[in-house]
Structures are given as C-alpha cells and as structure tokens.
Amino acid sequence: MIPRYSRPQMTSIWEPANKFRIWFEIEAHAADKLAELGVIPTASAKLVWEKGNKPYTQDRIDRIDTVEAEVKHDVIAFLTELAEQVGDEARFVHQGMTSSDVLDTCFNVQLVQATDILIEDMDKLLAALKKRAYETKDIACMGRSHGIHAEPVTFGLKLATFYAEFKRNRNRLVVAREEIATCAISGAVGTFANIDPRVEEHVADKLGLAVEPVSTQVIPRDRHAAYFAALGVVASSIEHLATEIRHLQRTEVREVEEFFSKGQKGSSAMPHKRNPILTENLTGLARLVRSMAIPAMENVALWHERDISHSSVERNIGPDATVTLDFALMRLTNVVENLVVYPERMDEILNQMGGLVFSQRVLLTLTQYGVSREDSYRIVQRNAMKVWNREGDLLSLLKTDKDVTAKIPMETLEGLFDLGYHTKHVDTIFARVFTD
C-alpha cells in the first residue's frame, strides 16, 4: 500500500485512528448493555463514554504503541490507554470479552466501510461504460476470436459486454459485504460463558452488523475467503477490459487509444511513443489483488477454536486489497471516460481482409439453396484461402465460382456482403443489458 496507488478516502479506513475508534465503540456499546443487564454499574458505562469518547490523536496512538512495545499485545495496550482516560471505572471495560471479539468485529466493520467505497467506485465505472457504450453503439468494428478477424460487431457492443460483467461484479460486492458484515462478542472459545449473548446482539445492532451465529472465539474465515475471492474476480474483470484496450491500441490496430494529454511524454528515448501505460498499470494492480485471495483461503483452516496464523495475513491483505482495488476502479473509470475511439480505422480494418468476414453467411445461404453443409464449407473455404493469399476479394472470387453462381442468384450473392446484417440485433442486446 503506497501513496502512488492509494486514495485518502480508502486509506483512512485502515489508519490507527479509525481502527481504535471502532475498538472503543465496540467496548463502549458492550459496556452499555452490560450495565443494562446489571453486570456492571450504569455510572461506569456512562463514564466510559464521557471520558473515553475522544478523538484518537497522534499522542493517544503513540501512547498505545509505547504500551504495546512493553506488553506485546495490541488490545491490552489499547485498554491500558483507555483506562488512563477513564480512570478506576475502566475495570468494568472488556468484561467477559476476549481480544478476538474486538479484533474480528473491527476488521469486519473496516471491510464493510471499504466495500461501501468500492460499490460507489463500481457505480461510477458502470455509468462511464454505459455512456460510452451508447455513444459508440452503431460504430462497427472487427470482432476477433483467437486474435484473428472473425465477424463484425460494434464497439458499443464490446463496452456493453463489459458493462454486464461489471454489473455482475457489483452484485458480487453487495453479496460479499453482506457475508462479511457480522459481529462476534462471544468470549473465550465462543461459548458466552462470561458474557451474555444479548451483549453481542446490542453491539451488532449499534455497528450495523449481523450476529455471527457461531464463533469459536473467531469469526469463521470462510467468510473472509469468499470476500477476498470476490475482490479477486473484480480485479480479473479490470484486467479483462484493460487487456482489450491494450490490444486495440497496438500500432498495427489503433482502433482506440488512451487519452494522451498535452505535454505528456511516452518514452525517455523515443519521442513518438504513446503507450497504454494506464491499462498496463491496471493489469499489474489486478494481479496484486487477485494474489491476495489465496492466503485468505488458506486462513480458513485455523487450529481448533482459534489460532492467530490468519492475523498477520489479514493485517496486510485487508488494507492492500481494498486500497489497490479502489485505486484501480477509479483509474479504469478515467480510462473509459477519456478513451479515444477511431471509427475510420475500425472501418478500414473491417475491409482489410477482402470480405472474408462474410464467409459464414455465404456458407449458410448455400445450404438454404440445397447444398450440403460439408460442400458449402469446402466451396467457401477454397475461395477464402485465395483471399488469404492476396488473389482477390471474396465477393469477386465467388462471382466466378460456378458452384456458387449455379445456386445463388447474383443479386442475392451481392446482398450477402451487407454489414448491417451483423449489427441488426445490437438494439436487442442493449435492451437486455441496460435494464436499469
């Protein structure tokens, strides 16, 4: 997590001030319920709020760090500093609780906060994709399979495909948020032996979380595995779109191009260069986010009721995955919003292969006129191979092939090379994709 690929709104979630604030609220809300249940004095619970409810300034954070350096335990250090603020009544804080009650619940709150930002990011990306898709809906371009010219599509249809993919990703984030938004205040080994389950219900309600049905001192890590896996899928989709743009920006293609600003330089050695640096960067960032799904899955298998082998992993991947994905989504949105599209070049490429893109329609028409599919394929392919060898264009060659002209009327044959045939259902697809 470095400033180059970070945005303050997301990084602030993982800063000590926010973390300790959440820890305090967990402890203070728990004290309120304990007081209501008669476990601790009501005056003591109120005092926690009155004296402890202060911003976690750098001085307070430094004090916690100083204590932790001695006691080697972060939650104890936090409670020690809080006791210094509250006084003797702080002895009633953390009654019946264990460190994981604070750490796990806080981690889930932070993930929820982060996911809310990611969903906002996704909405902005979807809006950009929709806008550009409609702008380019009728701009025909080459569709490719295996990187080779196949049949015509439109550039807007390409973007509609990515819109649908990221719409699914938005749903994945919503589901991931719901699954991760749980609270555990169940005490050592999760039996509620020293704390009433109603305390957990109260804290969960105050923090906007659901109660974890069963926690073995820790919240089950399959939840976190699913969460980081969802982030990995989103990252893969970012790479998917970034890779498409990178391919289309190649000099030999140049159908689209990342916006190149005035004064921007593409190479320290070659002044002519305009490189797809943003989408290349996004490809790399996607690899980072995706790589964090594996350790999250390995965290599922903890020993017995708990161990802390997951802790060091999550202290890294929690901030890194969410911060990186947040940055990547916003960068991708910027790329889409400012993407330069070259319709003339798309048209030029469509006509580059001498009409080969219409080969399937000729094949199908031959079958409609009584020729077997095998013979139809053979007839069209032998003419197509001549086009590959630069011996003419497909329509001209077909017009001189007696096996073709004996079956298909000339006017019908010429009509088979109509670009509109391939784009006639684009509106239908758009209607299916853009239902909101």
Side-chain angles (χ1 to χ4, degrees):
M1 188 175 69
I2 61 175
R4 186 180 183 91
Y5 304 126
S6 304
R7 298 201 311 145
Q9 185 180 13
M10 183 64 86
T11 57
S12 65
I13 290 172
W14 303 102
E15 289 173 356
N18 187 55
K19 179 184 71 174
F20 291 138
R21 176 65 198 179
I22 297 169
W23 286 14
F24 170 78
E25 290 184 5
I26 292 169
E27 296 284 6
H29 287 309
D32 282 344
K33 192 64 179 181
L34 288 167
E36 182 183 321
L37 295 172
V39 177
I40 68 173
T42 300
S44 299
K46 288 182 178 179
L47 205 60
V48 172
W49 285 102
E50 290 173 6
K51 293 190 173 182
N53 189 16
K54 304 173 184 177
Y56 276 88
T57 61
Q58 192 58 50
D59 286 344
R60 292 191 72 185
I61 294 169
D62 289 343
R63 175 56 182 159
I64 294 171
D65 290 343
T66 298
V67 176
E68 184 181 357
E70 177 185 351
V71 301
K72 306 297 189 295
H73 195 292
D74 54 356
V75 175
I76 292 175
F78 164 79
L79 292 171
T80 298
E81 192 278 339
L82 182 59
E84 292 171 354
Q85 301 290 330
V86 175
D88 291 342
E89 300 304 306
R91 69 184 185 275
F92 294 113
V93 174
H94 206 66
Q95 285 280 313
M97 295 169 60
T98 188
S99 298
S100 291
D101 292 335
V102 178
L103 295 171
D104 278 16
T105 301
C106 174
F107 188 46
N108 282 6
V109 170
Q110 288 174 298
L111 291 176
V112 167
Q113 292 175 345
T115 310
D116 287 340
I117 294 176
L118 293 176
I119 291 172
E120 290 178 8
D121 295 344
M122 190 69 75
D123 287 339
K124 292 175 183 176
L125 174 58
L126 288 168
L129 284 167
K130 182 177 182 178
K131 180 176 181 291
R132 298 309 304 274
Y134 273 99
E135 288 175 358
T136 59
K137 178 171 68 73
D138 299 317
I139 298 177
C141 64
M142 181 56 64
R144 299 170 175 88
S145 57
H146 304 276
I148 307 301
H149 290 196
E151 293 187 349
V153 295
T154 74
F155 191 69
L157 190 57
K158 281 179 177 282
L159 295 181
T161 300
F162 286 107
Y163 178 93
E165 183 172 342
F166 280 103
K167 189 68 177 292
R168 293 190 293 272
N169 281 324
R170 187 190 190 282
N171 292 336
R172 291 181 180 110
L173 289 176
V174 170
V175 171
R177 184 194 188 283
E178 181 180 1
E179 181 160 14
I180 208 66
T182 63
C183 166
I185 308 290
S186 55
V189 300
T191 60
F192 297 100
N194 294 296
I195 193 163
D196 194 301
R198 287 174 289 181
V199 175
E200 181 182 64
E201 294 170 3
H202 178 77
V203 174
D205 179 66
K206 291 296 184 180
L207 297 179
L209 304 174
V211 167
E212 183 62 52
V214 55
S215 53
T216 62
Q217 190 167 330
V218 293
I219 290 174
R221 257 45 195 183
D222 63 287
R223 292 186 181 275
H224 301 78
Y227 179 86
F228 287 100
L231 299 195
V233 174
V234 175
S236 294
S237 293
I238 290 173
E239 183 177 13
H240 185 195
L241 178 48
T243 300
E244 179 72 15
I245 293 171
R246 290 170 61 196
H247 279 310
L248 295 179
Q249 186 166 335
R250 285 178 297 143
T251 307
E252 295 82 0
V253 183
R254 202 165 176 246
E255 293 184 355
V256 303
E257 187 177 43
E258 291 180 9
F259 177 73
F260 197 83
S261 62
K262 184 178 180 180
Q264 183 175 342
K265 293 177 172 60
S267 167
S268 63
M270 297 167 283
H272 71 278
K273 294 297 291 297
R274 286 160 66 140
N275 304 324
I277 56 172
L278 299 178
T279 45
E280 288 176 342
N281 168 257
L282 287 169
T283 299
L285 295 178
R287 293 169 184 166
L288 282 175
V289 176
R290 193 165 49 240
S291 72
M292 299 176 203
I294 297 299
M297 292 180 186
E298 292 174 340
N299 279 349
V300 174
L302 301 179
W303 284 19
H304 306 300
E305 279 60 56
R306 83 168 287 219
D307 65 56
I308 63 164
S309 61
H310 64 288
S311 177
S312 57
V313 174
E314 291 170 354
R315 288 174 192 262
N316 281 277
I317 67 173
D320 286 356
T322 54
V323 169
T324 303
L325 191 60
D326 168 56
F327 181 88
L329 284 168
M330 293 311 297
R331 170 155 285 183
L332 184 59
T333 299
N334 178 263
V335 169
V336 171
E337 288 175 341
N338 296 288
L339 189 68
V340 181
V341 179
Y342 296 111
E344 298 83 2
R345 179 58 179 160
M346 292 178 178
D347 186 63
E348 182 182 340
I349 289 175
L350 275 170
N351 296 304
Q352 196 174 63
M353 294 302 293
L356 287 183
V357 295
F358 300 103
S359 68
Q360 180 181 191
R361 193 177 183 198
V362 177
L363 180 155
L364 295 175
T365 302
L366 281 169
T367 65
Q368 294 294 316
Y369 278 92
V371 184
S372 71
R373 184 176 181 86
E374 292 74 15
D375 287 342
S376 297
Y377 196 103
R378 176 180 53 79
I379 292 168
V380 176
Q381 187 182 45
R382 75 185 179 207
N383 287 283
M385 292 306 100
K386 291 178 182 179
V387 178
W388 274 102
N389 293 328
R390 302 183 184 277
E391 298 176 22
D393 66 89
L394 185 59
L395 179 57
S396 297
L397 290 168
L398 291 173
K399 285 181 176 180
T400 63
D401 189 318
K402 294 181 180 179
D403 288 339
V404 176
T405 57
K407 294 292 184 179
I408 304 177
M410 193 61 65
E411 184 179 350
T412 300
L413 180 61
E414 291 175 347
L416 300 181
F417 287 73
D418 173 25
L419 186 61
Y421 174 84
H422 291 275
T423 60
K424 62 182 181 291
H425 293 304
V426 169
D427 285 337
T428 299
I429 298 171
F430 266 58
R432 290 177 174 181
V433 172
F434 300 105
T435 57
D436 52 338

PDB file of all heavy atoms in Angstrom, residues 370-393:
ATOM      1  N   GLY A 370     -29.833 -25.722 -51.033  1.00  0.00           N
ATOM      2  CA  GLY A 370     -29.781 -27.156 -51.291  1.00  0.00           C
ATOM      3  C   GLY A 370     -28.408 -27.798 -51.274  1.00  0.00           C
ATOM      4  O   GLY A 370     -28.293 -29.011 -51.484  1.00  0.00           O
ATOM      5  N   VAL A 371     -27.353 -27.061 -51.005  1.00  0.00           N
ATOM      6  CA  VAL A 371     -26.003 -27.629 -50.956  1.00  0.00           C
ATOM      7  C   VAL A 371     -25.741 -28.153 -49.542  1.00  0.00           C
ATOM      8  O   VAL A 371     -26.120 -27.507 -48.553  1.00  0.00           O
ATOM      9  CB  VAL A 371     -24.946 -26.572 -51.345  1.00  0.00           C
ATOM     10  CG1 VAL A 371     -23.550 -27.200 -51.381  1.00  0.00           C
ATOM     11  CG2 VAL A 371     -25.285 -25.947 -52.691  1.00  0.00           C
ATOM     12  N   SER A 372     -25.112 -29.309 -49.423  1.00  0.00           N
ATOM     13  CA  SER A 372     -24.814 -29.855 -48.101  1.00  0.00           C
ATOM     14  C   SER A 372     -23.868 -28.919 -47.356  1.00  0.00           C
ATOM     15  O   SER A 372     -23.106 -28.155 -47.974  1.00  0.00           O
ATOM     16  CB  SER A 372     -24.155 -31.234 -48.213  1.00  0.00           C
ATOM     17  OG  SER A 372     -22.835 -31.125 -48.719  1.00  0.00           O
ATOM     18  N   ARG A 373     -23.911 -28.999 -46.037  1.00  0.00           N
ATOM     19  CA  ARG A 373     -23.036 -28.119 -45.253  1.00  0.00           C
ATOM     20  C   ARG A 373     -21.567 -28.407 -45.552  1.00  0.00           C
ATOM     21  O   ARG A 373     -20.752 -27.487 -45.640  1.00  0.00           O
ATOM     22  CB  ARG A 373     -23.322 -28.277 -43.753  1.00  0.00           C
ATOM     23  CG  ARG A 373     -22.505 -27.319 -42.901  1.00  0.00           C
ATOM     24  CD  ARG A 373     -22.846 -27.399 -41.433  1.00  0.00           C
ATOM     25  NE  ARG A 373     -22.035 -26.441 -40.682  1.00  0.00           N
ATOM     26  CZ  ARG A 373     -22.340 -25.177 -40.483  1.00  0.00           C
ATOM     27  NH1 ARG A 373     -23.456 -24.686 -40.973  1.00  0.00           N
ATOM     28  NH2 ARG A 373     -21.534 -24.378 -39.794  1.00  0.00           N
ATOM     29  N   GLU A 374     -21.227 -29.680 -45.704  1.00  0.00           N
ATOM     30  CA  GLU A 374     -19.839 -30.034 -45.972  1.00  0.00           C
ATOM     31  C   GLU A 374     -19.369 -29.440 -47.297  1.00  0.00           C
ATOM     32  O   GLU A 374     -18.272 -28.870 -47.392  1.00  0.00           O
ATOM     33  CB  GLU A 374     -19.666 -31.556 -45.980  1.00  0.00           C
ATOM     34  CG  GLU A 374     -19.850 -32.224 -44.621  1.00  0.00           C
ATOM     35  CD  GLU A 374     -21.309 -32.284 -44.170  1.00  0.00           C
ATOM     36  OE1 GLU A 374     -22.218 -32.082 -45.014  1.00  0.00           O
ATOM     37  OE2 GLU A 374     -21.543 -32.495 -42.961  1.00  0.00           O
ATOM     38  N   ASP A 375     -20.185 -29.552 -48.336  1.00  0.00           N
ATOM     39  CA  ASP A 375     -19.810 -28.990 -49.639  1.00  0.00           C
ATOM     40  C   ASP A 375     -19.809 -27.467 -49.595  1.00  0.00           C
ATOM     41  O   ASP A 375     -18.956 -26.814 -50.218  1.00  0.00           O
ATOM     42  CB  ASP A 375     -20.766 -29.492 -50.727  1.00  0.00           C
ATOM     43  CG  ASP A 375     -20.533 -30.962 -51.083  1.00  0.00           C
ATOM     44  OD1 ASP A 375     -19.441 -31.479 -50.743  1.00  0.00           O
ATOM     45  OD2 ASP A 375     -21.439 -31.581 -51.683  1.00  0.00           O
ATOM     46  N   SER A 376     -20.766 -26.898 -48.882  1.00  0.00           N
ATOM     47  CA  SER A 376     -20.818 -25.438 -48.754  1.00  0.00           C
ATOM     48  C   SER A 376     -19.542 -24.913 -48.107  1.00  0.00           C
ATOM     49  O   SER A 376     -18.949 -23.919 -48.556  1.00  0.00           O
ATOM     50  CB  SER A 376     -22.037 -25.021 -47.924  1.00  0.00           C
ATOM     51  OG  SER A 376     -23.237 -25.397 -48.556  1.00  0.00           O
ATOM     52  N   TYR A 377     -19.127 -25.582 -47.046  1.00  0.00           N
ATOM     53  CA  TYR A 377     -17.905 -25.170 -46.344  1.00  0.00           C
ATOM     54  C   TYR A 377     -16.709 -25.247 -47.286  1.00  0.00           C
ATOM     55  O   TYR A 377     -15.879 -24.333 -47.358  1.00  0.00           O
ATOM     56  CB  TYR A 377     -17.676 -26.064 -45.118  1.00  0.00           C
ATOM     57  CG  TYR A 377     -16.684 -25.516 -44.122  1.00  0.00           C
ATOM     58  CD1 TYR A 377     -17.099 -24.927 -42.939  1.00  0.00           C
ATOM     59  CD2 TYR A 377     -15.309 -25.582 -44.367  1.00  0.00           C
ATOM     60  CE1 TYR A 377     -16.193 -24.429 -42.015  1.00  0.00           C
ATOM     61  CE2 TYR A 377     -14.392 -25.074 -43.455  1.00  0.00           C
ATOM     62  CZ  TYR A 377     -14.843 -24.496 -42.284  1.00  0.00           C
ATOM     63  OH  TYR A 377     -13.933 -23.979 -41.378  1.00  0.00           O
ATOM     64  N   ARG A 378     -16.625 -26.354 -48.022  1.00  0.00           N
ATOM     65  CA  ARG A 378     -15.496 -26.563 -48.937  1.00  0.00           C
ATOM     66  C   ARG A 378     -15.463 -25.486 -50.022  1.00  0.00           C
ATOM     67  O   ARG A 378     -14.399 -24.933 -50.343  1.00  0.00           O
ATOM     68  CB  ARG A 378     -15.602 -27.952 -49.561  1.00  0.00           C
ATOM     69  CG  ARG A 378     -14.538 -28.257 -50.621  1.00  0.00           C
ATOM     70  CD  ARG A 378     -14.733 -29.652 -51.187  1.00  0.00           C
ATOM     71  NE  ARG A 378     -16.100 -29.870 -51.685  1.00  0.00           N
ATOM     72  CZ  ARG A 378     -16.526 -29.419 -52.865  1.00  0.00           C
ATOM     73  NH1 ARG A 378     -15.732 -28.728 -53.655  1.00  0.00           N
ATOM     74  NH2 ARG A 378     -17.779 -29.655 -53.253  1.00  0.00           N
ATOM     75  N   ILE A 379     -16.620 -25.141 -50.583  1.00  0.00           N
ATOM     76  CA  ILE A 379     -16.690 -24.146 -51.656  1.00  0.00           C
ATOM     77  C   ILE A 379     -16.250 -22.774 -51.151  1.00  0.00           C
ATOM     78  O   ILE A 379     -15.457 -22.069 -51.781  1.00  0.00           O
ATOM     79  CB  ILE A 379     -18.121 -24.078 -52.224  1.00  0.00           C
ATOM     80  CG1 ILE A 379     -18.458 -25.383 -52.961  1.00  0.00           C
ATOM     81  CG2 ILE A 379     -18.295 -22.877 -53.140  1.00  0.00           C
ATOM     82  CD1 ILE A 379     -19.937 -25.524 -53.297  1.00  0.00           C
ATOM     83  N   VAL A 380     -16.785 -22.391 -49.993  1.00  0.00           N
ATOM     84  CA  VAL A 380     -16.448 -21.064 -49.461  1.00  0.00           C
ATOM     85  C   VAL A 380     -14.995 -21.024 -49.015  1.00  0.00           C
ATOM     86  O   VAL A 380     -14.275 -20.045 -49.277  1.00  0.00           O
ATOM     87  CB  VAL A 380     -17.383 -20.691 -48.287  1.00  0.00           C
ATOM     88  CG1 VAL A 380     -16.967 -19.354 -47.682  1.00  0.00           C
ATOM     89  CG2 VAL A 380     -18.827 -20.630 -48.753  1.00  0.00           C
ATOM     90  N   GLN A 381     -14.529 -22.089 -48.390  1.00  0.00           N
ATOM     91  CA  GLN A 381     -13.154 -22.075 -47.886  1.00  0.00           C
ATOM     92  C   GLN A 381     -12.125 -21.979 -49.006  1.00  0.00           C
ATOM     93  O   GLN A 381     -11.121 -21.277 -48.863  1.00  0.00           O
ATOM     94  CB  GLN A 381     -12.884 -23.319 -47.031  1.00  0.00           C
ATOM     95  CG  GLN A 381     -11.514 -23.266 -46.345  1.00  0.00           C
ATOM     96  CD  GLN A 381     -11.214 -24.513 -45.547  1.00  0.00           C
ATOM     97  OE1 GLN A 381     -11.448 -25.629 -46.031  1.00  0.00           O
ATOM     98  NE2 GLN A 381     -10.689 -24.338 -44.340  1.00  0.00           N
ATOM     99  N   ARG A 382     -12.344 -22.669 -50.099  1.00  0.00           N
ATOM    100  CA  ARG A 382     -11.341 -22.629 -51.169  1.00  0.00           C
ATOM    101  C   ARG A 382     -11.219 -21.217 -51.751  1.00  0.00           C
ATOM    102  O   ARG A 382     -10.139 -20.791 -52.160  1.00  0.00           O
ATOM    103  CB  ARG A 382     -11.684 -23.643 -52.250  1.00  0.00           C
ATOM    104  CG  ARG A 382     -12.832 -23.275 -53.187  1.00  0.00           C
ATOM    105  CD  ARG A 382     -13.161 -24.404 -54.129  1.00  0.00           C
ATOM    106  NE  ARG A 382     -14.287 -24.050 -55.002  1.00  0.00           N
ATOM    107  CZ  ARG A 382     -15.103 -24.941 -55.538  1.00  0.00           C
ATOM    108  NH1 ARG A 382     -14.944 -26.242 -55.302  1.00  0.00           N
ATOM    109  NH2 ARG A 382     -16.090 -24.539 -56.329  1.00  0.00           N
ATOM    110  N   ASN A 383     -12.318 -20.484 -51.767  1.00  0.00           N
ATOM    111  CA  ASN A 383     -12.262 -19.090 -52.211  1.00  0.00           C
ATOM    112  C   ASN A 383     -11.637 -18.200 -51.135  1.00  0.00           C
ATOM    113  O   ASN A 383     -10.870 -17.274 -51.440  1.00  0.00           O
ATOM    114  CB  ASN A 383     -13.653 -18.585 -52.569  1.00  0.00           C
ATOM    115  CG  ASN A 383     -14.174 -19.166 -53.883  1.00  0.00           C
ATOM    116  OD1 ASN A 383     -13.759 -18.740 -54.954  1.00  0.00           O
ATOM    117  ND2 ASN A 383     -15.063 -20.154 -53.801  1.00  0.00           N
ATOM    118  N   ALA A 384     -11.963 -18.483 -49.901  1.00  0.00           N
ATOM    119  CA  ALA A 384     -11.409 -17.700 -48.798  1.00  0.00           C
ATOM    120  C   ALA A 384      -9.897 -17.830 -48.718  1.00  0.00           C
ATOM    121  O   ALA A 384      -9.186 -16.852 -48.437  1.00  0.00           O
ATOM    122  CB  ALA A 384     -12.042 -18.134 -47.477  1.00  0.00           C
ATOM    123  N   MET A 385      -9.383 -19.031 -48.990  1.00  0.00           N
ATOM    124  CA  MET A 385      -7.938 -19.219 -48.933  1.00  0.00           C
ATOM    125  C   MET A 385      -7.231 -18.410 -50.018  1.00  0.00           C
ATOM    126  O   MET A 385      -6.091 -17.951 -49.838  1.00  0.00           O
ATOM    127  CB  MET A 385      -7.603 -20.699 -49.068  1.00  0.00           C
ATOM    128  CG  MET A 385      -8.035 -21.565 -47.876  1.00  0.00           C
ATOM    129  SD  MET A 385      -7.421 -21.007 -46.261  1.00  0.00           S
ATOM    130  CE  MET A 385      -8.859 -20.149 -45.602  1.00  0.00           C
ATOM    131  N   LYS A 386      -7.880 -18.202 -51.136  1.00  0.00           N
ATOM    132  CA  LYS A 386      -7.307 -17.355 -52.186  1.00  0.00           C
ATOM    133  C   LYS A 386      -7.214 -15.905 -51.710  1.00  0.00           C
ATOM    134  O   LYS A 386      -6.256 -15.185 -52.019  1.00  0.00           O
ATOM    135  CB  LYS A 386      -8.153 -17.438 -53.450  1.00  0.00           C
ATOM    136  CG  LYS A 386      -8.094 -18.798 -54.149  1.00  0.00           C
ATOM    137  CD  LYS A 386      -9.006 -18.819 -55.380  1.00  0.00           C
ATOM    138  CE  LYS A 386      -8.985 -20.198 -56.054  1.00  0.00           C
ATOM    139  NZ  LYS A 386      -9.882 -20.248 -57.235  1.00  0.00           N
ATOM    140  N   VAL A 387      -8.214 -15.471 -50.941  1.00  0.00           N
ATOM    141  CA  VAL A 387      -8.173 -14.119 -50.390  1.00  0.00           C
ATOM    142  C   VAL A 387      -7.009 -13.990 -49.414  1.00  0.00           C
ATOM    143  O   VAL A 387      -6.271 -12.992 -49.421  1.00  0.00           O
ATOM    144  CB  VAL A 387      -9.506 -13.760 -49.698  1.00  0.00           C
ATOM    145  CG1 VAL A 387      -9.433 -12.357 -49.088  1.00  0.00           C
ATOM    146  CG2 VAL A 387     -10.664 -13.849 -50.684  1.00  0.00           C
ATOM    147  N   TRP A 388      -6.819 -15.004 -48.592  1.00  0.00           N
ATOM    148  CA  TRP A 388      -5.679 -15.016 -47.664  1.00  0.00           C
ATOM    149  C   TRP A 388      -4.361 -14.883 -48.428  1.00  0.00           C
ATOM    150  O   TRP A 388      -3.418 -14.255 -47.964  1.00  0.00           O
ATOM    151  CB  TRP A 388      -5.663 -16.303 -46.844  1.00  0.00           C
ATOM    152  CG  TRP A 388      -6.518 -16.261 -45.601  1.00  0.00           C
ATOM    153  CD1 TRP A 388      -7.738 -16.805 -45.436  1.00  0.00           C
ATOM    154  CD2 TRP A 388      -6.189 -15.633 -44.357  1.00  0.00           C
ATOM    155  NE1 TRP A 388      -8.214 -16.563 -44.174  1.00  0.00           N
ATOM    156  CE2 TRP A 388      -7.277 -15.839 -43.480  1.00  0.00           C
ATOM    157  CE3 TRP A 388      -5.088 -14.910 -43.895  1.00  0.00           C
ATOM    158  CZ2 TRP A 388      -7.307 -15.360 -42.177  1.00  0.00           C
ATOM    159  CZ3 TRP A 388      -5.106 -14.432 -42.589  1.00  0.00           C
ATOM    160  CH2 TRP A 388      -6.212 -14.652 -41.749  1.00  0.00           C
ATOM    161  N   ASN A 389      -4.325 -15.478 -49.595  1.00  0.00           N
ATOM    162  CA  ASN A 389      -3.104 -15.443 -50.416  1.00  0.00           C
ATOM    163  C   ASN A 389      -3.055 -14.222 -51.337  1.00  0.00           C
ATOM    164  O   ASN A 389      -2.244 -14.180 -52.274  1.00  0.00           O
ATOM    165  CB  ASN A 389      -3.001 -16.716 -51.252  1.00  0.00           C
ATOM    166  CG  ASN A 389      -2.780 -17.954 -50.392  1.00  0.00           C
ATOM    167  OD1 ASN A 389      -2.135 -17.875 -49.340  1.00  0.00           O
ATOM    168  ND2 ASN A 389      -3.334 -19.081 -50.812  1.00  0.00           N
ATOM    169  N   ARG A 390      -3.971 -13.259 -51.083  1.00  0.00           N
ATOM    170  CA  ARG A 390      -3.989 -11.991 -51.821  1.00  0.00           C
ATOM    171  C   ARG A 390      -4.248 -12.188 -53.316  1.00  0.00           C
ATOM    172  O   ARG A 390      -3.662 -11.514 -54.164  1.00  0.00           O
ATOM    173  CB  ARG A 390      -2.679 -11.222 -51.601  1.00  0.00           C
ATOM    174  CG  ARG A 390      -2.375 -10.926 -50.140  1.00  0.00           C
ATOM    175  CD  ARG A 390      -1.112 -10.116 -49.971  1.00  0.00           C
ATOM    176  NE  ARG A 390      -0.795  -9.920 -48.557  1.00  0.00           N
ATOM    177  CZ  ARG A 390      -1.320  -8.966 -47.776  1.00  0.00           C
ATOM    178  NH1 ARG A 390      -2.205  -8.134 -48.291  1.00  0.00           N
ATOM    179  NH2 ARG A 390      -0.975  -8.862 -46.503  1.00  0.00           N
ATOM    180  N   GLU A 391      -5.151 -13.097 -53.611  1.00  0.00           N
ATOM    181  CA  GLU A 391      -5.502 -13.356 -55.016  1.00  0.00           C
ATOM    182  C   GLU A 391      -6.827 -12.715 -55.406  1.00  0.00           C
ATOM    183  O   GLU A 391      -7.376 -13.017 -56.467  1.00  0.00           O
ATOM    184  CB  GLU A 391      -5.558 -14.869 -55.261  1.00  0.00           C
ATOM    185  CG  GLU A 391      -4.228 -15.582 -55.045  1.00  0.00           C
ATOM    186  CD  GLU A 391      -4.346 -17.085 -55.193  1.00  0.00           C
ATOM    187  OE1 GLU A 391      -5.305 -17.548 -55.848  1.00  0.00           O
ATOM    188  OE2 GLU A 391      -3.483 -17.804 -54.636  1.00  0.00           O
ATOM    189  N   GLY A 392      -7.355 -11.841 -54.577  1.00  0.00           N
ATOM    190  CA  GLY A 392      -8.608 -11.168 -54.871  1.00  0.00           C
ATOM    191  C   GLY A 392      -9.470 -11.033 -53.642  1.00  0.00           C
ATOM    192  O   GLY A 392      -9.086 -11.453 -52.541  1.00  0.00           O
ATOM    193  N   ASP A 393     -10.670 -10.415 -53.800  1.00  0.00           N
ATOM    194  CA  ASP A 393     -11.603 -10.298 -52.693  1.00  0.00           C
ATOM    195  C   ASP A 393     -12.651 -11.402 -52.796  1.00  0.00           C
ATOM    196  O   ASP A 393     -12.867 -11.974 -53.864  1.00  0.00           O
ATOM    197  CB  ASP A 393     -12.269  -8.922 -52.685  1.00  0.00           C
ATOM    198  CG  ASP A 393     -13.153  -8.706 -53.883  1.00  0.00           C
ATOM    199  OD1 ASP A 393     -14.355  -9.046 -53.814  1.00  0.00           O
ATOM    200  OD2 ASP A 393     -12.645  -8.212 -54.915  1.00  0.00           O
TER     201      ASP A 393
END
